[in-house]
Amino acid sequence: MIPVILSGGSGSRLWPLSRKAFPKQFLALTAEQTLFQQTIERLAFDGMQPPLLVCNKEHRFIVKEQLAARKLETQGLMLEPFGRNTAPAIAMAAMKLLADGRDELLLVLPADHVIEDHKAFQRSLALATNAAENGGMVLFGIPATSPETGYGYIKCDHEGRNGLPEGVNRVTQFVEKPDEARAQEYVNSGDYYWNSGMFLFRASVFLDELKKHDPDIYDTCWVALERSAKNGQEVLIDPATFACCPDNSIDYAVMEKTELACVVPMSAGWSDVGSWSSLWDVLEKDENGNVTRGDVIVEDSRNCLVHGNGKLVTVVGLDNIVVVETKDATMIAHKDKVQDVKKLVNKLDSMKRSETQNHCAVYRPWGWYDSVDMGGRFQVKRICVNPGAQLSLQMHHHRAEHWIVVSGTAQVTCNDKTFLLTENQSTYIPVTSIHRLANPGKIPLEIIEVQSGSYLGEDDIERLDDVYGRAPEGEKHAAR
């Protein structure tokens, strides 16, 4: 059995903590480990192979860093140039394995879910394995215990199993996210489950059903795989071909049409952590039902989630309110309205606001930088370079830079000179100078960079050499 972990979502309902460049699966929301790391670590039991990961190519360095931090192994990375929903993502993974002569069972898991009871998860998986080995396409259903309007629902037939093992039932209906009254009817009936987005089936079975029910996705994905670039364990999916692929979910493309769909119930403390209210549900609360993170003081308030990220946050006299503070944005919402945070993000995107894209701290393959201050012709950044890492060899056409070492050792290249700087030493990088910053040491290098010039955009870069294989010319949001 091979886990196929889908890590392409943006988690927009958890804005402003989740951003497109650093979405929720890479955040430590419920434990010390991130949701992504937890997803892989709960698969460490007999019979389970290392996972095959499908993620956006812009996240590959975050993925590698989080894998390395927990010493986690994988079978490889499928790097999407952009999202095309779950059906193409799963198809690309299944096709890669078949092209390698492999046809194992695929356990498809989103990278951003919480499962509290690992033993219960394994028991449901054992049932699902029996069904999948006999040609079934298994969907893990969560017993609907409350009228949630943010989930899809599945109706199953508890009577006629048609040869399915005990505890496995045929799917009779898929229902999109209902209104509250309809959701309450589903809960009362006892015949409905929440759609977890977790599946188990053999690779060839899924592809046969995809070819039958959505041949456009099937054909386009095969061509995209043939044209993809392979670099060791990485497969960079061909963007020109993938752009022609229909954008569709596995539910619409296959599961709602196939006669092989079946449900295995799973009561394992599952949550998709899809909104601030669902995060409140799974976190520990005080005697008044409040969840707090960071430097937070709560007075005369109940059932609130208050998340601070640096500043002191105080709340008084609130009930069922979510407050999330980050360095560049604050979001306040009633818990009953948190599903609409996505509408807010869409509105910010239409205004071309950068706050939906990146945090102030922007992660790069060599480390990260944080914008400290900005004016008309200057910008101050805090830059951290990982041990042994280096920025690209580059030049800027419109700005000069001053570098001051705060801690660690910097190896600086400026035109034809290369030299070392240590704590409290500094240097000046003139406009159009060819330069590079590297960390030759064994501890993180931290510097303060002061930029000055007529244009300070991240796309003012001409990249001359880069060990991470990034484009030679500057790209918006991809500098350094």
Side-chain angles (χ1 to χ4, degrees):
M1 186 182 297
I2 299 176
V4 173
I5 297 180
L6 307 180
S7 183
S10 62
S12 57
R13 288 185 181 88
L14 286 179
W15 184 86
L17 215 54
S18 179
R19 309 283 175 104
K20 288 183 174 65
F22 206 91
K24 69 172 182 175
Q25 60 266 33
F26 303 123
L27 299 172
L29 295 173
T30 63
E32 290 183 5
Q33 304 97 316
T34 67
L35 297 176
F36 171 77
Q37 291 168 332
Q38 291 179 59
T39 300
I40 297 177
E41 290 183 347
R42 76 173 64 103
L43 300 172
F45 53 86
D46 290 343
M48 192 67 67
Q49 298 185 43
L52 178 61
L53 308 179
V54 184
C55 65
N56 190 289
K57 69 180 182 67
E58 298 300 328
H59 298 155
R60 67 189 185 278
F61 298 114
I62 302 173
V63 166
K64 289 180 178 180
E65 183 176 328
Q66 296 207 350
L67 291 171
R70 302 291 298 181
K71 296 182 173 58
L72 301 172
E73 296 182 358
T74 72
Q75 302 224 11
L77 274 67
M78 306 288 293
L79 302 175
E80 296 180 311
F82 32 74
R84 276 295 180 265
N85 218 314
T86 53
I90 299 167
M92 294 298 299
M95 288 172 178
K96 178 193 182 300
L97 292 168
L98 281 187
D100 293 341
R102 305 173 62 182
D103 189 18
E104 288 98 331
L105 295 181
L106 304 185
L107 176 61
V108 178
L109 303 173
D112 54 3
H113 289 185
V114 167
I115 295 177
E116 296 176 350
D117 189 340
H118 294 182
K119 293 297 184 183
F121 167 65
Q122 292 177 29
R123 288 193 295 269
S124 293
L125 182 57
L127 270 179
T129 301
N130 194 2
E133 285 178 338
N134 288 284
M137 300 187 70
V138 183
L139 194 156
F140 293 85
I142 312 301
T145 55
S146 60
E148 297 289 338
T149 58
Y151 297 148
Y153 285 70
I154 316 154
K155 186 179 182 181
C156 66
D157 181 1
H158 288 290
E159 302 299 329
R161 288 200 173 82
N162 297 324
L164 290 172
E166 184 74 23
V168 184
N169 301 290
R170 288 289 176 198
V171 175
T172 59
Q173 184 184 10
F174 284 81
V175 184
E176 270 302 294
K177 299 172 183 177
D179 59 30
E180 188 169 358
R182 185 63 58 85
Q184 187 63 61
E185 292 178 14
Y186 296 158
V187 172
N188 294 341
S189 76
D191 292 331
Y192 288 83
Y193 295 87
W194 295 328
N195 186 344
S196 71
M198 299 163 53
F199 305 90
L200 181 69
F201 37 65
R202 195 165 297 282
S204 58
V205 171
F206 169 72
L207 291 176
D208 287 345
E209 292 299 294
L210 179 66
K211 185 177 183 179
K212 181 189 302 183
H213 298 295
D214 203 323
D216 287 346
I217 291 179
Y218 179 89
D219 293 339
T220 307
C221 286
W222 268 119
V223 176
L225 183 64
E226 290 172 354
R227 295 176 178 176
S228 295
K230 298 175 181 63
N231 180 22
Q233 283 196 316
E234 295 182 5
V235 176
L236 182 58
I237 297 171
D238 178 63
T241 310
F242 204 56
C244 302
C245 189
D247 184 324
N248 207 352
S249 70
I250 181 177
D251 296 310
Y252 284 140
V254 177
M255 298 303 290
E256 293 187 9
K257 301 171 183 176
T258 182
E259 296 179 357
L260 304 178
C262 53
V263 174
V264 167
M266 188 178 76
S267 298
W270 171 90
S271 173
D272 72 345
V273 200
S275 67
W276 288 110
S277 61
S278 61
L279 182 60
W280 177 86
D281 286 337
V282 301
L283 292 178
E284 186 176 350
K285 303 163 186 65
D286 66 15
E287 64 275 10
N288 293 312
N290 298 309
V291 172
T292 59
R293 289 292 184 272
D295 191 4
V296 171
I297 297 176
V298 176
E299 179 67 27
D300 190 27
S301 297
R302 293 164 184 79
N303 304 316
C304 293
L305 188 155
V306 186
H307 194 293
N309 194 41
K311 299 183 182 71
L312 169 65
V313 180
T314 62
V315 299
V316 180
L318 299 184
D319 190 8
N320 280 302
I321 299 295
V322 175
V323 179
V324 183
E325 175 265 335
T326 66
K327 190 172 181 180
D328 61 345
T330 301
M331 192 280 301
I332 303 170
H334 195 280
K335 281 226 307 280
D336 292 345
K337 293 292 185 180
V338 290
Q339 292 290 346
D340 292 338
V341 171
K342 186 173 184 177
K343 296 179 182 178
L344 189 61
V345 171
N346 292 338
K347 185 173 184 178
L348 292 169
D349 282 340
S350 70
M351 299 167 64
K352 302 189 184 305
R353 296 290 301 248
S354 63
E355 289 89 346
T356 64
Q357 305 295 322
N358 285 299
H359 287 281
C360 289
V362 178
Y363 290 84
R364 292 288 182 251
W366 44 260
W368 54 269
Y369 68 84
D370 186 0
S371 295
V372 177
D373 196 9
M374 181 182 294
R377 289 180 58 90
F378 78 91
Q379 183 171 202
V380 181
K381 289 183 176 179
R382 178 185 172 198
I383 296 176
C384 184
V385 185
N386 296 328
Q390 59 181 313
L391 282 66
S392 59
L393 185 68
Q394 59 187 257
M395 65 174 288
H396 305 298
H397 295 277
H398 304 287
R399 71 173 186 251
E401 296 173 344
H402 297 258
W403 294 344
I404 305 100
V405 177
V406 177
S407 62
T409 299
Q411 179 178 292
V412 178
T413 298
C414 186
N415 292 324
D416 58 350
K417 295 180 180 179
T418 298
F419 50 93
L420 297 178
L421 296 177
T422 56
E423 189 172 321
N424 292 324
Q425 294 183 323
S426 63
T427 191
Y428 171 65
I429 308 295
V431 177
T432 71
S433 295
I434 295 172
H435 61 280
R436 168 176 267 156
L437 177 65
N439 179 0
K442 297 185 182 299
I443 64 171
L445 163 66
E446 187 172 325
I447 74 166
I448 298 298
E449 176 182 85
V450 181
Q451 303 174 358
S452 60
S454 58
Y455 179 73
L456 304 174
E458 285 299 312
D459 53 345
D460 176 25
I461 177 177
E462 184 175 341
R463 190 179 290 123
L464 306 172
D465 177 60
D466 183 64
V467 298
Y468 308 107
R470 295 174 295 177
E473 295 299 324
E475 300 175 7
K476 194 77 171 176
H477 308 304
R480 299 187 178 279

